[in-house]
Amino acid sequence: MLKIFYALLATSLLLSAQAATLFGETVDKTAVTPVSQLLLQPANYLDKTVTISGTVDSVCSKQGCWMKFSTEGASLPFRIKVRDGDMVFPLSAKGKTAYATGTVRLWPQGEDEPDAYQLYPTAVEIAE
C-alpha cells in the first residue's frame, strides 16, 4: 500500500513539474520562430501569423497586458501585446520560456522614433 502511495506521489510531482500556463487558444508549435530570427527581418513577418519562442524578459506590472521576449543574439526584446483584460500575464512569468502564436503588427513609437514590431497573440504558453 505504501509503495502505491509513493508511486502516485512521484507521478503527480512529475506531471505538475511539467505543467504550463496557457492563455487563449492552443499554441501552434509545428513551426516555431525564435525571436532572434524574427528580429533580423521583422518586416517579412508583418501581418503574418507566427509562433515565436523566447525567454520572458519583462511583464506589464499594472494589467499584465504585455510581455517582452528575449533570446540570445537579439539586441532588443520583442513585445507581445493583448487588449487589456483579454489575457493577464503573471509577473511570475519573468525568466521563463514562453511560446506565443499570433499576428505581427507595427507598433508606432513616437514622433522621433522609428516604428517597432510586436505580436498580437491568440495563444500563449508559459513553461513552468
Side-chain angles (χ1 to χ4, degrees):
M1 182 75 155
L2 196 53
K3 287 182 184 180
I4 293 172
F5 172 75
Y6 284 123
L8 289 173
L9 179 63
T11 302
S12 69
L13 289 174
L14 181 62
L15 292 175
S16 66
Q18 295 176 348
T21 304
L22 305 172
F23 299 93
E25 302 168 3
T26 303
V27 173
D28 178 13
K29 291 186 184 177
T30 58
V32 177
T33 303
V35 171
S36 56
Q37 181 181 335
L38 185 143
L39 288 174
L40 289 174
Q41 295 181 321
N44 290 348
Y45 297 92
L46 188 61
D47 296 322
K48 294 182 181 171
T49 300
V50 297
T51 297
I52 60 170
S53 66
T55 302
V56 178
D57 181 72
S58 56
V59 180
C60 173
S61 62
K62 293 185 179 183
Q63 296 182 355
C65 61
W66 57 259
M67 291 192 297
K68 291 184 180 177
F69 284 19
S70 64
T71 60
E72 287 186 34
S75 59
L76 298 171
F78 182 76
R79 185 169 101 150
I80 67 166
K81 171 74 172 112
V82 296
R83 286 187 322 198
D84 295 348
D86 280 0
M87 299 177 193
V88 179
F89 304 123
L91 294 175
S92 62
K94 189 173 178 181
K96 295 182 179 175
T97 300
Y99 301 87
T101 300
T103 305
V104 177
R105 297 195 183 137
L106 277 176
W107 176 21
Q109 299 299 294
E111 212 172 279
D112 298 329
E113 298 290 324
D115 288 342
Y117 296 86
Q118 64 184 352
L119 184 87
Y120 287 85
T122 55
V124 175
E125 178 180 318
I126 302 167
E128 291 296 325

